[in-house]
């Protein structure tokens, strides 16, 4: 499961990805946290206080770019159980809601 945000150009996609990551780091994207993975990927996830105590609800999003798009793909922490489709869908919806609540819409055309 993933969110694909289509931008006007690869430069716009990189800017948007960087803005989302910075907003999470600066706690401007409420209830989301950031980590850099061992593979050097940008990872965002719901604040630990919300879901960390239940391993079956630990959904993370790997944030990358692909041509003119920002891609936020669901994953889960290594060594933890894979969350259900329902839990992944819940987190995906919450992240789309958070993104739409910011003023990013000037930077993209479509969210798939």
């Amino acid at each position: 499961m993933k969110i694909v945000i289509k931008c006007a150009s690869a430069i716009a996609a990189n800017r948007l990805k960087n803005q989302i990551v910075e907003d999470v780091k600066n706690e401007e994207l409420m209830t989301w946290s950031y980590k850099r993975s061992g593979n050097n990927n940008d990872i965002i996830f719901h604040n630990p206080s919300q879901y960390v105590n239940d391993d079956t609800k630990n959904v993370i999003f790997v944030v990358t770019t692909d041509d003119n798009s920002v891609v936020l793909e669901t994953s889960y922490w290594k060594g933890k159980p894979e969350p259900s489709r329902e839990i992944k869908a819940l987190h995906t919806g919450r992240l789309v809601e958070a993104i739409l609540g910011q003023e990013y819409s000037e930077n993209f055309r479509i969210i798939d």
Side-chain angles (χ1 to χ4, degrees):
M1 194 173 295
K2 62 185 167 183
I3 302 164
V4 178
I5 305 172
K6 297 181 181 177
C7 301
S9 67
I11 292 170
N14 278 317
R15 282 189 193 139
L16 180 57
K17 174 193 176 266
N18 292 337
Q19 185 64 55
I20 291 169
V21 167
E22 285 305 309
D23 286 353
V24 172
K25 286 179 179 178
N26 295 330
E27 299 180 1
E28 292 176 30
L29 210 59
M30 302 296 286
T31 74
W32 295 90
S33 294
Y34 170 85
K35 282 194 179 190
R36 172 86 61 181
S37 76
N39 296 340
N40 222 22
N41 290 320
D42 293 309
I43 305 291
I44 60 176
F45 53 96
H46 260 299
N47 287 342
S49 62
Q50 293 185 348
Y51 290 104
V52 163
N53 293 332
D54 185 348
D55 288 343
T56 65
K57 295 183 179 179
N58 281 308
V59 176
I60 63 174
F61 290 88
V62 179
V63 187
T64 60
T65 56
D66 183 19
D67 293 325
N68 296 352
S69 299
V70 178
V71 180
L72 300 107
E73 189 162 4
T74 59
S75 190
Y76 52 97
W77 299 112
K78 185 177 180 177
K80 302 292 183 183
E82 182 174 1
S84 69
R85 184 168 180 77
E86 178 184 29
I87 292 296
K88 289 179 189 176
L90 175 70
H91 284 255
T92 299
R94 295 295 306 191
L95 184 53
V96 168
E97 177 185 7
I99 289 170
L100 290 174
Q102 297 296 104
E103 295 183 14
Y104 301 137
S105 61
E106 298 169 5
N107 302 319
F108 66 85
R109 298 186 302 200
I110 299 169
I111 293 183
D112 279 340

